[in-house]
Amino acid sequence: MLSLYLHIPFCASKCSYCDFNAYAGMSDLIAPYARALAKEVRMVGEAGGPEGAGERGEVHTLFFGGGTPSLTPLDSMADIFSAIRESFALTDDCEVTLEANPGTVDLAYLEGLHALGVNRLSFGVQSAQANELSLFNRIHTFDEACETVRLARQAGFDRQSYGVNLDLIYGIPGQTPERWKDTLARALALEPEHLSLYSLSLEFGTAMRAWVQRGLLPAPDNNVAADMYEWADAELARAGFEQYEISNWARTKDEGGRMKDEIQCTILPPSSFRLPAFACRHNLQYWRNEPYLGFGAGAHGCISGFRYSNVLSPAAYIQRIESGEARPFPLSPALAEATPVDVKTAMDETMMLGFRLTREGIPADAFRARYGVGFDEVYARELRDLTGRQLIEVGADRARLRPGARLVANRVFEKFV
Ligand SMILES: C[S@@+](CC[C@H](N)C(=O)[O-])C[C@H]1O[C@@H](n2cnc3c(N)ncnc32)[C@H](O)[C@@H]1O
């Protein structure tokens, strides 16, 4: 099955840690950008052949990421949804996530999103501490984040849908373990179905990196961040969450009360294997190295033996889509780069991405079904070395990270680059 990622690159202000393709001060481009996005979806859908991309498989996840997608007005969102539904076949239980920034939405907006088919919200909460939110240049307080989650519940984003995710950041300069514990406790009190916990990284070109380099802020301490991670992992297990990826935890069926089967591998169900019911299906698509199309400025896609990305600038993207012609599926007029993925590269990527999945890992039967060869044959030397260094475990059914290696997973990934 197929997944679609739609990038909305606009923000009310730029966060001090953020190096994503996102821009403040361009709100006048939001409406024309949304029109271009709808047009790109139609062009790519049509280029998929007489039956559109439907013949390439149904779409089972959509993800609106940013930037701040929740800055897009409802009428523009409605246009984009019409284009998606006209151009692609969506499964009945399609997971539809939208990233939302607390402080940018009200009840009517959230109800409108729900009516359009959005069934999962991901809120960039980041911290419950006023000083940390201000350091991040966030536009909301933690109380506003709580109120936004309450409104989301009222609008129908509950356990009958795919629920609510909260993003939190730890390892912040000057952050004490007590503050991190307080942030996590207050986030848990909101009873999210899903949590993403990210260790602060100082990305090139960000204000945060410049402040640290100029000595205005202490550098994040990796050892403190590692302790925060271990503590959070234990605390989340106590709260009924199951970790399924290095930075991601979800409620299980028992705790979450969601009456549907847990997610299985879409290539071949690994025997007797389950993921927590509220694991994000869209992100699983990436980590399982399965196909997705990317729409919008700077969006990436991976399908039909290519990885590709669109032009970064929103203005250039609009111009390309307005004046361009669709190329053969899946390439859009906004394409900036396309790289063929040969079979060995695809296998490397399947290993590298699969090791992110802390429980599922790389299922041996799925790998063999896809590539006609076992990972133990292709990567015998690498697997022996990593097993010897206590970084991974390789069983008859799967290879995966050892729990103690989650903080040094790069040592595993680098073997498959
Ligand atoms: C693309 S951003 C989503 C933006 C979202 N609309 C928001 O309100 O913040 C995804 C998440 O990645 C995390 N993130 C981004 N940059 C980061 C960095 N330098 N270090 C750690 N986490 C980061 C943040 O938690 C952020 O919410």
Side-chain angles (χ1 to χ4, degrees), residues 166-178:
L166 308 180
D167 285 343
L168 298 176
I169 297 181
Y170 63 95
I172 305 165
Q175 184 184 35
T176 59
E178 288 64 39

Side-chain angles (χ1 to χ4, degrees), residues 201-216:
S201 60
L202 299 178
E203 303 295 342
F204 284 102
T206 60
M208 186 75 79
R209 188 180 175 93
W211 295 335
V212 170
Q213 279 177 338
R214 276 193 245 136
L216 301 171

